[in-house]
Amino acid sequence: MTVPRTALVAGYTGLVGRHLLAQLLAGRPYANIRYARIKTVGRRAPPGDDARVEALVTGLGDLAGMRERLAADDVFCCLGTTLRAAGSREAFERVDFDMVVDLARTAHAAGARRFFLVSSVGANAESKVFYNRIKGRAEAAVRAVGYETLHIVRPSLLLGERDEPRPGEDFAQKLLPAIGPLLLGPLAAYRAVPAEDVARALVELAAREQPGVTISTLPLR
């Protein structure tokens, strides 16, 4: 039986978010979930004129002020940046922690039951690595919100074409796929992964009626 729902996608202009929005609109391959309405949250509206899409254009700085407009069943958070792109640790934290947590809290207050968070392999609130520490803190804060269902996906380096140049990642995208087959057992989680596969994993998890908190690496089990 198909269940019509409303999805909210934040970070849809990013590498994972673009693929996720396309897959949600396509409605495949998991037919038991159908999103009759998809809200996007970001600085600009997505291209196209699909009647199912409602673009909420915002800088994400004051989500609490638009709580009612964020009402949805399922929230997909693909927000994220890099230290290089953000320009400072403070700016990075505003995106990868403050905005993520504000989204989770505001959408939950508006009635959302399920939250899907794209985090990162190595996320750990106690890590000495700043990036991993912020990701871990964000995970912990979202867990504390109290969603009925919380899926945290921890991919490694994302493969795909980005809108903005990231020289370090461009080099890694060429190197890591070559050594991926050597990463076996627990190290398999550190293999570079196409952003499209991360989006597909989110859609697959959405099709599962699985309450509680689930942390997944790729490939999904």
Side-chain angles (χ1 to χ4, degrees), residues 7 20 54 58 77 80 120 126 128-129 169-170 174 179 202:
L20 175 62
E54 177 185 352
T58 172
C77 181
S120 176
E126 304 300 324
K128 294 181 179 180
V129 178
E169 285 196 11
D170 289 345
K174 297 175 182 176
I179 66 174
L202 292 169

Side-chain angles (χ1 to χ4, degrees), residues 35 45 67 134 202 212:
Y35 291 104
R67 186 180 75 179
I134 295 300
L202 292 169

Side-chain angles (χ1 to χ4, degrees), residues 100-211:
V100 168
V101 178
D102 286 349
L103 174 70
R105 290 173 177 166
T106 305
H108 185 263
R113 296 170 42 252
R114 306 199 301 170
F115 197 88
F116 301 80
L117 174 62
V118 179
S119 183
S120 176
V121 66
N124 184 337
E126 304 300 324
S127 176
K128 294 181 179 180
V129 178
F130 177 75
Y131 180 89
N132 292 346
R133 186 166 68 250
I134 295 300
K135 291 292 189 181
R137 286 181 53 212
E139 288 186 9
V142 172
R143 289 181 70 150
V145 173
Y147 276 91
E148 179 181 318
T149 296
L150 170 60
H151 284 287
I152 298 172
V153 178
R154 293 177 174 175
S156 184
L157 177 74
L158 298 174
L159 301 176
E161 295 294 327
R162 294 188 181 274
D163 290 336
E164 77 283 1
R166 295 185 179 181
E169 285 196 11
D170 289 345
F171 175 76
Q173 285 205 36
K174 297 175 182 176
L175 174 65
L176 290 187
I179 66 174
L182 303 178
L183 301 175
L184 304 174
L187 294 178
Y190 289 87
R191 293 175 182 171
V193 57
E196 186 174 5
D197 289 356
V198 180
R200 187 175 294 111
L202 292 169
V203 176
E204 180 178 340
L205 290 169
R208 300 178 183 178
E209 294 298 336
Q210 187 176 359

Side-chain angles (χ1 to χ4, degrees), residues 29-77:
Y30 307 102
N32 61 317
I33 293 292
R34 178 176 65 85
Y35 291 104
R37 190 178 183 192
I38 301 173
K39 299 180 180 182
T40 60
V41 185
R43 297 181 184 277
R44 61 181 183 273
D49 56 358
D50 195 302
R52 291 170 292 171
V53 177
E54 177 185 352
L56 307 179
V57 179
T58 172
L60 294 158
D62 182 27
L63 292 178
M66 55 188 301
R67 186 180 75 179
E68 299 307 318
R69 299 182 66 195
L70 295 178
D73 299 295
D74 298 345
V75 181
F76 296 88
C77 181

